[in-house]
């Protein structure tokens, strides 16, 4: 039921058009523009800067205040007190699990971590230097071939099993894409390890000796998973929702999300930040790159800076920066040159009027790459880690979409092409 009304008058149209206005529990009110179609009008919002594409209860972001809530819980508290599988449960169910619910959930995930043995054959078609994101788009999409018939998207239990499979198998596939690129054998998951420990085991373990995960690195890995888990209607999540609206197989929808995340303006930024820091190479070169980032004629952007929603610090970047300091100290590389360049770059950018006026702050991708590099993860795997973590966000939104009556997403356009004309 609408809380308020908006009245729109348009030159050339008689009378005002009444539009319902709805209020959420947090955030801006929304104007329901659907009555416009009956008046022969569309809204126009390239890039969806001002468009609420759906109603959702999963995550809330306040860009001005730098607030990020999952199920109402601030990301800073979840990063400090929770862990990734507990956050997965929260995103899927809207409530934190009881101790018993968490134990059951963790055991279910543990027992879905292997992929069908046939999956390993897909890798052989790729060159060893294939980008692992290309492999992930292919292999996650290929999961739909294994679970094509056992899924009724309108059945909540089927949707839940699909989520379990994806949460459990993404680390296995991600680690396989890495092992393939370095010519080492795939490592099977181990049920005696925690989620992040198991991922590090599959990434860095070998059949030659038992891998003992460093608990500080495993905790940092789990925290990185938590910080990337979900982020409202970002480009890749919106892609998954739109693909899902046609009734497509959920594994194919997640593959579409991975493809959308790959772009350097989105999840590919973490890889681009490391490339940028390595290209800057020394603090003496920072000023030149900052000037390039400010030059409208130069396509160079300061990667890891700016955000469509945050006009303040990305709360995830603050936690990531603190984690970065912890990990580098633990590894005895607190003088990592790239970290020094990053911190100097952040300081300069936050004082420069260009960035201050545009409210450009470091985002989640600015420090994550430095931690991942310190853990030993190659730059090409950074966005794969992001995709692994964001899978729970994608599948939670996909499931939320299918949990209530829905329609296929089909935006319209402002047509400026040729008028009708006859074929000569
Ligand atoms: C993620 O949406 C999400 O929630 C995404 C994400 C998630 O968790 O899902 O948070 C993850 O994608 C984080 C963002 C990672 N991307 C980067 O770090 C790439 C660098 N950032 C920019 O490409 C940009 O800031 C975007 C893409 C993040 C946001 O783009 P917008 O909202 O379209 O903003 P814009 O390009 O219109 O920028 C506004 C102004 C422009 O200048 P003017 O035209 O006003 O003169 O700010 C400038 C831009 O040129 N600007 C930058 C800049 N980012 C914006 N200038 C230099 N360096 C930058 N990084």
């Amino acid at each position: 039921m609408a809380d308020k009304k908006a009245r729109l008058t348009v030159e050339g149209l008689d009378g005002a058009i009444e539009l319902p206005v709805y209020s959420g529990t947090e955030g801006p009110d929304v104007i329901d523009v659907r009555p416009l179609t009956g008046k022969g009008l569309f809204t126009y919002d390239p890039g969806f800067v001002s468009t609420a594409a759906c109603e959702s209860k999963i995550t809330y972001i306040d860009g001005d205040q730098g607030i990020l809530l999952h199920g109402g819980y601030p990301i800073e508290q979840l990063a400090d007190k929770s862990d990734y599988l507990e956050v997965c449960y929260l995103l899927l169910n809207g409530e934190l699990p009881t101790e018993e619910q968490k134990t059951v959930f963790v055991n279910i995930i543990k027992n879905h971590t292997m992929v069908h043995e046939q999956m390993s054959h897909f890798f052989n078609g790729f060159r060893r230097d294939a980008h692992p994101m290309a492999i992930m788009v292919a292999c996650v999409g290929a999961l739909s071939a294994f679970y094509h018939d056992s899924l009724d998207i309108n059945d909540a239990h089927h949707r839940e099993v699909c989520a379990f499979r994806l949460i459990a198998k993404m680390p296995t596939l991600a680690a396989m894409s890495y092992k393939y690129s370095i010519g080492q054998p795939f490592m099977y998951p181990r049920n005696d390890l925690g989620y992040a420990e198991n991922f590090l085991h599959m990434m860095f373990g070998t059949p030659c000796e038992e891998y003992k995960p460093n608990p500080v690195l495993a905790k940092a890995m789990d925290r990185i998973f938590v910080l990337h888990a979900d982020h409202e209607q970002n480009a890749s999540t919106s892609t998954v929702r739109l693909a899902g609206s046609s009734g497509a197989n959920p594994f194919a929808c997640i593959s579409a999300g991975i493809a959308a995340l790959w772009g350097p303006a989105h999840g590919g930024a973490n890889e681009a930040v490391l490339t940028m820091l390595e290209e800057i190479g020394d603090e003496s070169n920072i000023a030149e790159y900052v000037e390039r980032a400010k030059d409208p004629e130069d396509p160079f952007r300061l990667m890891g800076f700016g955000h469509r929603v945050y006009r303040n610090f990305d709360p995830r970047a603050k936690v990531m920066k603190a984690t970065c300091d912890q990990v580098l100290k633990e590894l005895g590389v607190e003088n990592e040159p790239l970290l020094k360049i990053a911190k100097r770059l952040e300081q300069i950018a936050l004082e420069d009027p260009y960035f201050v006026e545009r409210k450009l702050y470091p985002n989640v991708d600015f420090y994550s790459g430095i931690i991942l590099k310190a853990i030993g993860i190659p730059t090409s795997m950074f966005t794969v880690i992001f995709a692994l973590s964001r899978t729970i966000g994608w599948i939670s939104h996909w499931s939320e979409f299918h949990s209530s009556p829905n329609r296929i997403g089909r935006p319209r356009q402002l047509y400026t092409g040729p008028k009708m004309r006859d074929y000569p």
Side-chain angles (χ1 to χ4, degrees):
M1 187 55 192
D3 307 325
K4 293 175 274 201
K5 295 275 188 206
R7 282 174 187 76
L8 177 69
T9 57
V10 179
E11 286 178 24
L13 276 186
D14 294 337
I17 305 170
E18 261 202 9
L19 301 172
V21 176
Y22 309 120
S23 302
T25 44
E26 295 279 5
D29 288 350
V30 298
I31 300 174
D32 184 343
V33 294
R34 285 175 289 187
L36 291 181
T37 311
K39 301 288 184 185
L41 292 167
F42 293 152
T43 58
Y44 185 62
D45 184 19
F48 306 121
V49 179
S50 307
T51 294
C54 63
E55 176 185 344
S56 179
K57 302 180 187 314
I58 298 171
T59 288
Y60 173 68
I61 302 172
D62 181 325
D64 293 328
Q65 302 298 319
I67 291 171
L68 169 57
L69 308 177
H70 294 318
Y73 298 102
I75 189 65
E76 297 90 339
Q77 295 181 28
L78 292 172
D80 182 35
K81 298 183 170 70
S82 186
D83 60 50
Y84 181 67
L85 285 185
E86 185 171 80
V87 170
C88 286
Y89 185 98
L90 171 63
L91 291 169
L92 274 174
N93 298 288
E95 295 294 339
L96 288 167
T98 62
E99 274 306 309
E100 186 193 359
Q101 287 169 329
K102 183 172 180 183
T103 303
V104 169
F105 183 71
V106 169
N107 285 329
I108 289 173
I109 299 301
K110 275 184 193 286
N111 288 290
H112 281 79
T113 48
M114 283 205 295
V115 294
H116 193 294
E117 199 64 11
Q118 297 285 106
M119 287 290 294
S120 60
H121 300 308
F122 291 134
F123 289 78
N124 296 328
F126 291 102
R127 289 173 27 158
R128 293 284 180 175
D129 63 354
H131 195 291
M133 281 296 277
I135 297 176
M136 291 300 285
V137 168
C139 287
V140 174
L143 285 173
S144 50
F146 292 84
Y147 303 112
H148 183 70
D149 300 323
S150 60
L151 195 74
D152 173 1
I153 58 176
N154 298 307
D155 179 324
H157 177 61
H158 282 214
R159 293 200 300 269
E160 192 178 44
V161 169
C162 177
F164 295 160
R165 283 176 166 143
L166 279 159
I167 298 166
K169 297 179 193 309
M170 282 299 279
T172 308
L173 289 171
M176 289 170 79
S177 67
Y178 171 61
K179 284 298 196 188
Y180 184 75
S181 72
I182 58 174
Q184 284 190 1
F186 298 142
M187 294 299 288
Y188 287 104
R190 276 175 44 187
N191 291 352
D192 62 318
L193 296 176
Y195 192 83
E197 289 177 326
N198 193 24
F199 176 62
L200 294 177
H201 149 71
M202 293 188 286
M203 282 285 291
F204 301 120
T206 69
C208 313
E209 59 189 15
E210 186 187 356
Y211 176 79
K212 292 182 174 48
N214 176 322
V216 173
L217 300 190
K219 177 63 186 162
M221 193 75 256
D222 190 270
R223 181 168 292 175
I224 285 174
F225 290 157
V226 167
L227 293 172
H228 288 84
D230 187 51
H231 212 239
E232 199 215 64
Q233 306 307 324
N234 58 85
S236 53
T237 301
S238 298
T239 299
V240 171
R241 276 185 174 258
L242 192 57
S245 74
S246 74
N249 176 289
F251 297 96
C253 294
I254 299 301
S255 175
I258 296 172
L261 185 76
W262 195 358
H266 190 12
N270 55 14
E271 178 176 353
V273 167
L274 248 288
T275 305
M276 175 186 74
L277 292 175
E278 286 165 348
E279 190 182 319
I280 292 174
D282 184 89
E283 288 186 54
S284 60
N285 298 327
I286 289 176
E288 173 206 338
Y289 279 85
V290 169
E291 285 315 304
R292 281 188 56 196
K294 291 157 55 176
D295 178 358
E297 302 308 314
D298 188 327
F300 174 76
R301 286 280 180 279
L302 217 46
M303 302 317 283
F305 263 80
H307 198 278
R308 171 59 59 78
V309 176
Y310 289 122
R311 296 308 183 213
N312 199 321
F313 255 92
D314 181 334
R316 301 167 298 176
K318 287 183 184 173
V319 180
M320 202 70 84
K321 186 174 177 179
T323 306
C324 196
D325 288 335
Q326 288 164 10
V327 169
L328 297 192
K329 189 161 182 284
E330 162 69 17
L331 294 173
V333 290
E334 53 266 45
N335 293 321
E336 156 67 54
L338 294 179
L339 178 61
K340 288 172 72 177
I341 294 172
K343 287 189 171 178
R344 183 80 187 108
L345 190 56
E346 176 187 345
Q347 186 186 7
I348 290 173
L350 293 182
E351 292 161 2
D352 186 302
Y354 172 93
F355 296 90
V356 174
E357 285 157 16
R358 291 167 178 80
K359 300 187 177 187
L360 302 175
Y361 292 87
N363 58 48
V364 67
D365 295 305
F366 190 61
Y367 285 102
S368 56
I370 298 170
I371 304 175
L372 293 171
K373 180 176 184 290
I375 292 174
I377 291 169
T379 307
S380 63
M381 283 291 293
F382 288 3
T383 312
V384 173
I385 304 276
F386 195 149
L388 185 171
S389 163
R390 184 53 56 86
T391 293
I392 182 57
W394 290 331
I395 201 65
S396 298
H397 282 274
W398 173 83
S399 192
E400 181 180 63
F401 175 86
H402 283 299
S403 63
S404 56
N406 56 68
R407 308 177 71 190
I408 190 166
R410 205 295 188 194
R412 300 305 304 275
Q413 63 180 11
L414 171 67
Y415 175 71
T416 56
K419 284 184 173 293
M420 186 186 294
R421 54 184 169 171
D422 291 328
Y423 186 85

